[in-house]
Amino acid sequence: MNVGVLGAGTMGHGIAQVTAMAGHDVTIRDIETEFVENGIDAIEENLQGGVERDKVTPAEKAATLEHISGTTDLQEAVEDADLVVEAVPEEMDLKKQTFEDVAEHAPEDAVIASNTSSMSVTEIVSTLDNPERGIGLHFFNPVHIMALVEVVVGEQTSDETVEFATNFVEDIGKTAVEVQDAPGFASSRLGVSLGVEAVRMVQEGVASPSDIDDAMELGYNHPMGPIELGDVVGLDVRLDILEHLREELGERFRPPQILRRKVRAGKLGKKTGEGFYVWEDGEIVGTSGDWGDEQ
């Protein structure tokens, strides 16, 4: 297939990588050439890491890169697409406008998917003249490692679109979980619930971030603790999701003040080098400040 991926950031380039590794032709589009180039460079770096760990062969790396092209022209990215996946920032107006723009240039039978992690797919696809071809494909970070994709079914989504999306997910080697369009879907709602309670515990001085994470990793066999996961996802992303869920589902999703302070200070986690932990070269090297001072 021809697949257009809109957004070359963390999620966008990851979606492009796994799609190209499955043999599909992918065009990555972003608003600046630098962003597109950075996304393709990140894909090459991921693939090279796979080669060094004997997870990817040099031939697979080369073949994957041959399937990927980049552009800043939206029409070029979608005009021949069988599937378009939007991976722009989590802003409803931006996502709706993106869907409108895609509809102007993509084939009428192309499936258009949003990678939103919590926003209403029904509302996003409502901008389409034929919203039955709109759906949610919620990938997880890092995309090339995480096996799950939530197939989010909007109110207008057709059975044919659900089948197409599920087959695509399975074709790229992921596991599809079908969920109805509800605030936070399944994974974000449950994951954020655990994460926000962990942050409240830090705020209240119950335990340090590392001890809370150790408790969940060793006691419940989680591969990563909830505080570390928040840093990896991005504390700004976590805050946005909580605000949305609070509006939709009530005060139990009210963001703790410590989280708001971190975001206001620009301490967004791994991507900025500091969140609840201090990060260097992608690894935790310490805890941010004295966690007890945040009580």
Side-chain angles (χ1 to χ4, degrees):
M1 294 194 302
N2 291 321
V3 180
V5 177
L6 308 183
T10 299
M11 298 306 297
H13 76 246
I15 295 167
Q17 177 180 329
V18 297
T19 302
M21 290 184 75
H24 302 295
D25 290 325
V26 183
T27 304
I28 306 177
R29 186 262 180 178
D30 214 314
I31 57 174
E32 294 185 17
T33 300
E34 179 184 3
F35 298 159
V36 176
E37 292 175 347
N38 288 345
I40 294 176
D41 287 346
I43 292 172
E44 185 167 8
E45 183 177 337
N46 284 342
L47 291 168
Q48 183 57 38
V51 171
E52 292 170 1
R53 295 189 300 274
D54 294 324
K55 301 290 187 181
V56 178
T57 68
E60 287 171 334
K61 173 188 173 181
T64 298
L65 293 173
E66 287 179 2
H67 281 294
I68 297 173
S69 61
T71 184
T72 57
D73 187 324
L74 185 139
Q75 180 175 349
E76 180 182 345
V78 306
E79 61 184 353
D80 296 320
D82 301 291
L83 169 67
V84 178
V85 183
E86 161 274 304
V88 304
E90 288 283 89
E91 300 172 15
M92 178 59 77
D93 289 344
L94 176 59
K95 289 183 180 294
K96 291 169 72 173
Q97 185 61 57
T98 299
F99 265 61
E100 287 185 19
D101 295 342
V102 170
E104 291 183 13
H105 302 294
E108 291 188 1
D109 60 348
V111 170
I112 307 176
S114 174
N115 182 55
T116 182
S117 60
S118 65
M119 291 184 173
S120 171
V121 169
T122 298
E123 182 175 352
I124 294 170
V125 308
S126 67
T127 62
L128 301 174
D129 290 337
N130 47 349
E132 64 275 6
R133 65 170 169 160
I135 198 164
L137 286 176
H138 176 207
F139 288 80
F140 290 76
N141 182 35
V143 178
H144 65 289
I145 294 175
M146 301 296 284
L148 180 65
V149 179
E150 280 186 306
V151 177
V152 185
V153 182
E155 184 69 26
Q156 316 94 317
T157 305
S158 70
D159 291 342
E160 291 77 14
T161 298
V162 174
E163 182 179 5
F164 176 95
T166 301
N167 288 339
F168 167 73
V169 170
E170 293 173 352
D171 180 64
I172 62 174
K174 304 296 184 182
T175 298
V177 174
E178 182 180 328
V179 299
Q180 298 303 305
D181 183 26
F185 315 140
S187 62
S188 291
R189 184 167 170 179
L190 289 170
V192 169
S193 296
L194 177 61
V196 71
E197 192 60 31
V199 170
R200 289 194 188 104
M201 290 168 66
V202 172
Q203 180 170 276
E204 295 166 6
V206 173
S208 69
S210 60
D211 283 343
I212 291 170
D213 283 344
D214 285 347
M216 297 311 296
E217 291 172 19
L218 301 177
Y220 287 83
N221 206 28
H222 287 199
M224 182 183 297
I227 303 294
E228 181 181 354
L229 181 59
D231 266 17
V232 170
V233 169
L235 299 185
D236 53 335
V237 175
R238 275 290 167 92
L239 178 59
D240 287 344
I241 294 172
L242 283 169
E243 294 283 24
H244 173 67
L245 292 179
R246 179 190 182 191
E247 180 179 343
E248 294 285 340
L249 299 174
E251 289 301 304
R252 68 185 185 276
F253 290 100
R254 176 193 290 272
Q257 283 302 114
I258 184 177
L259 179 60
R260 294 187 188 277
R261 288 197 294 270
K262 292 284 187 185
V263 172
R264 288 170 183 159
K267 297 178 180 180
L268 307 183
K270 183 177 181 179
K271 61 187 173 183
T272 61
E274 185 174 353
F276 285 95
Y277 293 104
V278 178
W279 298 78
E280 289 183 7
D281 298 324
E283 302 292 334
I284 294 173
V285 297
T287 303
S288 176
D290 182 349
W291 64 271
D293 289 344
E294 298 289 356
Q295 297 180 47

